[in-house]
Structure formats: structure tokens, C-alpha cells
């Protein structure tokens, strides 16, 4: 598989909770490398998919597995006959968790007319590029998006995962599953709106799940320690703390809070859940939700995912939904194209997605998806629930209390919000 990389700088920065500020800089570079193919000979021009992703930046630890997963998917495709005999190419642009850099990176991808679809994974900067991508009429096929007015508001975005509001609400269901009485939240201090946004979603969600809402405590990623914040959680009598911060910050918060006597349960969701790192925190107990399929499941579609990563990207830590949402988004792209691979264009990709009806990819998606021409994607209200404690070999998937959201009756069954 050939991989092209575009690294571009621009102006402006979008803060962690999608609030704009400013910076400067202008630089660009590019490089490419090719992976050897041992499969059938491929022919024809490559089918190119752009990937605008935060490989660097304040929250890049949450998307670290995204690019290796996309590359492993493409390598597997190319070593098993390609898409209709044609090779697949992933073109990567680093958005740097920065609005200006994201705009420049996305522009470079869009201006490559051979790129027929795009993945976007940058929770900080996605709001800065959504309108432009719609104006350019390019299909955005995933990987994981959070801003509702982008992923559920723009008609060229094909959503396969819950948005930020639903992710926050889903944590209340995990708090209830952990028998919590008081739910509090640790939220990013990098934006003045983070605490308000969390409270607006969590307060009613806690009440709906028979819990009291203790409040939101702001957490700075650059703080020397979190003693004061942890004492605040204790003062609130919290026994379930939803952490809406990065993986690295969550590790430090949990470590400090346990040292300050917190013996309740922590909650994380989506790309903020990283069992490799969290399992190192002695005494940690966690219950949370996933916006992408559980990578440890025994189902055949998940085994295919693990086999591809182990074969083509050995050593990659794919225990994150940044990996699984990327994989399922690309699998949905393959399904949408079907056998129509002779002349793949941006329009034919749109047509392929509009032909999908109640697709779940055998349980890789949290709920059936159907897309309607000219309409935004419907909201994804289902997710996977898990529990995980320090010392566990792997997380444990919690069965939904009601009917499975994606119709799976095994280890890919999902729970749904009311």
C-alpha cells in the first residue's frame, strides 16, 4: 500500500472544546512510502481515501491508533485482491488539533481530485472544517466525530458513532450499571464552555438514571497535580467520576484521586478509554462506554480486525476505539462501493452510501445505519458498555439491559439511550 503524507501549517487554534483562539506559522512537507504486496497483482489507478487526523497536538494520544489501523485495512485489502482488482491508498494529513492547521490540511486533501472520500478524526478542530467540506461536496465517511452540528448537521458526513452529547449521556448509563449514587465529572479546563456543556448533558442524564449530579470539576492537562480536584470530588460525595479529558490526563487524575482516598468508579468513553494505560493505575475501577466495537470480542468480524493489525502493523496498540471506529468506517466504505469499483468518484461514493439500508456490518456498528440523499446522518444513540479494573486481562462487555441496539445477540450487542 502506498501512503502519502501531507503536513501543513496554518493560522488559528481550536481549543479543546471547540472554541477558537489564534496562533501563527506556515510550513509544509510531504513524504511517501510503499508497503510490499504479497497478494494478487493489482491494476488500475488507486482508490484514494484522505485521512485528516490529529497525529500531533494536545489530544493526539486519543487518536494514536487511527492511522496504523487505516494502513492495516488498506494493506489487507491490497493483499487480498484490492477493491475490484484496484489498489487502495490512504493519504494522511496531520490536523494537529489546531483549527488553522486542520483547514490547511483538509484543503490539501480536497484539492487532490483523485481522493474520492475522506476520514476525519480530530475532536478539537472538526468544527473548523465541516462547512468547507460540505461546500466542496466531498463524502466524509468517518472515523469518529463528536460535534453534533457537523456529524448530524451536514449532509455530506456519514456518521457511524455517537456524537459528543450522546457520549456524555451514555456515561450516566455506566454510572447506573456501577450502582453509583452521585455522578460528578472531570472536564477540560482549556475551554470555559466545557463544564457548562458537560453539566447540561450529565445533570439530566444522571437524574434519568436515578443518580444525583455532584457537579463538574475543571481539569487542566498541564497541572502539576490534581490534589485539589480530587478533594473536590470527595467533597461532592461522588462515587462515579466521568473523566472527559485525554488518556494521559486521566491516568494522572485517577492516580492522584486514589491517593486522596477516592474508592469509587471512574468513567471514560470512546477514545478516552485506554486499558493499556489505565490498567497500570493501582486500585482503579472503571465502567464506561465505547463508540466503536470492542476489540477483544470473539466475533469473526473482530478477529479479522485483530488479524490485520497483527499482520500488517505488528506492535500497534489497537486497544482503543480510535482503531475500531476507523476500521468500521473503512469497512462501511468497502460495503458501500460493493462491486462498483471500475470508476470510483466522489459522486459514486455518495450513491453507494445512499444505497445502504439498515447496515450493521455484522455487529461492527452500534446500530443499523441508513442514509438519505440531501439529509444529515441520523443520530447514533447506541453504544457498547464495559467494566474494567486494574489487573484485569481485558475489559468485560456488559450486556444491554433491554433489546440489543444493533441486533447482535453475542459479544457485539449494544445498549441504547432512551
Amino acid at each position: 500500500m502506498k501512503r502519502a503524507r501531507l503536513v501543513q501549517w496554518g493560522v488559528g487554534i481550536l481549543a479543546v472544546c471547540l472554541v477558537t483562539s489564534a496562533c501563527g506559522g506556515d510550513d509544509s512537507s510531504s513524504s511517501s512510502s510503499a508497503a510490499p504486496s504479497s497478494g494478487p497483482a493489482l491494476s488500475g489507478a488507486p482508490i484514494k481515501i484522505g485521512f485528516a487526523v490529529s497525529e500531533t497536538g494536545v489530544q493526539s494520544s486519543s487518536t494514536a491508533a487511527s492511522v496504523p489501523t487505516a494502513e492495516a485495512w488498506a494493506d489487507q485489502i491490497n493483499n487480498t485482491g484490492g477493491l475490484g482488482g484496484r489498489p487502495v491508498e490512504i493519504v494522511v494529513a496531520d490536523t494537529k488539533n489546531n483549527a488553522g492547521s486542520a483547514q490547511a490540511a483538509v484543503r490539501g486533501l480536497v484539492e487532490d481530485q483523485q481522493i474520492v472520500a475522506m476520514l476525519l478524526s480530530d475532536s478539537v478542530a472538526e468544527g473548523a472544517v465541516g462547512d468547507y467540506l460540505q461546500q466542496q461536496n466531498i463524502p466524509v465517511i468517518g472515523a469518529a466525530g463528536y460535534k453534533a452540528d457537523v456529524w448530524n448537521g451536514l449532509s455530506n458526513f456519514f456518521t457511524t458513532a455517537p456524537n459528543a452529547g450522546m457520549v456524555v449521556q451514555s456515561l450516566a448509563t455506566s454510572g447506573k450499571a456501577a450502582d453509583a449514587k452521585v455522578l460528578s465529572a472531570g472536564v477540560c479546563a482549556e475551554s470555559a464552555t466545557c463544564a457548562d456543556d458537560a453539566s447540561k448533558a450529565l445533570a439530566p442524564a444522571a437524574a434519568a438514571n436515578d443518580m444525583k449530579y455532584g457537579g463538574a470539576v475543571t481539569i487542566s492537562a498541564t497541572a502539576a497535580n490534581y490534589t485539589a480536584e480530587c478533594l473536590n470530588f470527595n467533597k461532592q460525595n461522588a462515587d462515579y467520576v466521568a473523566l472527559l479529558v485525554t488518556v494521559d490526563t486521566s491516568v494522572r487524575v485517577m492516580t492522584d484521586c486514589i491517593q486522596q482516598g477516592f474508592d469509587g468508579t471512574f468513567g471514560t468513553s470512546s477514545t478516552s478509554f485506554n486499558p493499556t494505560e489505565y490498567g497500570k493505575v493501582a486500585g482503579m475501577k472503571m465502567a464506561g462506554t465505547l463508540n466503536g466495537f470492542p476489540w477483544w470480542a470473539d466475533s469473526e468480524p473482530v478477529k479479522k480486525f485483530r488479524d490485520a493489525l497483527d499482520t500488517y502493523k505488528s506492535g500497534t496498540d489497537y486497544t482503543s476505539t480510535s482503531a475500531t471506529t476507523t476500521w468500521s468506517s473503512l469497512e462501511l466504505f468497502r460495503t458501500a462501493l460493493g462491486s462498483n469499483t471500475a470508476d470510483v468518484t466522489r459522486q459514486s461514493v455518495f450513491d453507494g452510501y445512499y444505497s445502504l439500508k439498515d447496515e450493521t456490518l455484522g455487529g461492527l456498528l452500534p446500530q443499523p445505519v441508513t442514509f438519505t440523499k440531501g439529509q444529515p446522518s441520523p443520530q447514533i444513540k447506541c453504544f457498547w458498555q464495559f467494566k474494567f479494573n486494574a489487573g484485569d486481562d481485558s475489559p468485560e462487555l456488559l450486556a444491554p439491559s433491554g433489546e440489543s441496539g444493533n441486533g447482535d445477540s453475542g459479544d457485539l450487542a449494544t445498549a441504547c439511550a432512551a
Side-chain angles (χ1 to χ4, degrees), residues 94-398:
D94 184 6
T95 55
K96 299 181 174 69
N97 286 149
N98 176 294
S101 295
Q103 291 164 349
V106 165
R107 189 178 305 114
L109 295 174
V110 169
E111 290 175 353
D112 182 347
Q113 292 299 313
Q114 291 184 325
I115 290 178
V116 298
M118 275 187 53
L119 296 161
L120 175 63
S121 189
D122 187 331
S123 62
V124 175
E126 59 186 14
V129 298
D131 288 341
Y132 171 75
L133 289 168
Q134 184 182 48
Q135 292 165 5
Q136 297 301 311
N137 198 35
I138 186 168
V140 182
I141 60 173
Y146 298 99
K147 193 169 174 58
D149 59 6
V150 173
W151 292 91
N152 301 108
L154 302 177
S155 59
N156 63 314
F157 279 68
F158 296 100
T159 303
T160 59
N163 62 37
M166 187 54 60
V167 165
V168 172
Q169 290 182 51
S170 74
L171 285 169
T173 68
S174 295
K176 182 177 182 178
D179 296 322
K181 304 302 180 186
V182 180
L183 183 157
S184 292
V187 301
C188 58
E190 284 73 15
S191 167
T193 66
C194 274
D196 288 342
D197 290 346
S199 295
K200 287 176 183 177
L202 278 176
N209 285 277
D210 302 317
M211 290 179 290
K212 177 183 176 182
Y213 182 58
V217 176
T218 55
I219 293 175
S220 171
T222 59
N225 64 71
Y226 300 104
T227 299
E229 291 83 352
C230 295
L231 291 175
N232 203 341
F233 290 136
N234 290 342
K235 184 178 179 180
Q236 294 171 348
N237 294 316
D239 54 358
Y240 183 83
V241 173
L243 294 174
L244 306 177
V245 292
T246 64
V247 171
D248 296 341
T249 304
S250 291
V251 168
R252 296 174 57 213
V253 171
M254 290 189 291
T255 300
D256 284 2
C257 286
I258 291 170
Q259 290 176 350
Q260 295 301 321
F262 178 78
D263 62 355
T265 302
F266 295 99
T268 59
S269 183
S270 306
T271 56
S272 293
F273 177 52
N274 186 317
T276 302
E277 297 302 321
Y278 295 166
K280 300 174 184 177
V281 180
M284 184 275 305
K285 295 179 291 185
M286 180 169 287
T289 59
L290 303 176
N291 63 343
F293 64 84
W295 52 87
W296 65 89
D298 291 327
S299 299
E300 285 303 318
V302 183
K303 290 180 180 178
K304 178 182 176 182
F305 157 79
R306 290 196 298 267
D307 288 345
L309 268 295
D310 290 339
T311 300
Y312 300 109
K313 290 294 175 180
S314 178
T316 296
D317 182 2
Y318 52 76
T319 59
S320 167
T321 61
S322 69
T324 60
T325 55
T326 298
W327 182 270
S328 58
S329 295
L330 289 166
E331 282 291 275
L332 191 64
F333 173 81
R334 181 177 64 82
T335 301
L337 285 190
S339 61
N340 300 318
T341 57
D343 184 22
V344 180
T345 64
R346 294 177 183 181
Q347 185 57 53
S348 72
V349 173
F350 276 118
D351 294 340
Y353 275 80
Y354 298 143
S355 71
L356 298 171
K357 303 297 179 185
D358 294 327
E359 182 62 56
T360 66
L361 297 177
L364 294 184
L365 298 181
Q367 73 184 47
V369 295
T370 298
F371 304 105
T372 303
K373 184 176 181 179
Q375 299 296 318
S377 295
Q379 187 178 41
I380 304 296
K381 297 183 177 182
C382 302
F383 40 81
W384 291 270
Q385 294 185 109
F386 71 88
K387 68 176 182 178
F388 180 68
N389 297 332
D392 289 350
D393 292 333
S394 63
E396 178 185 345
L397 192 69
L398 300 177

Side-chain angles (χ1 to χ4, degrees), residues 6-10 27-29 93-94 96 100-102 104-105 107-109:
L6 306 176
V7 180
Q8 304 187 37
W9 293 85
D27 190 22
S28 64
S29 65
D94 184 6
K96 299 181 174 69
S101 295
R107 189 178 305 114
L109 295 174

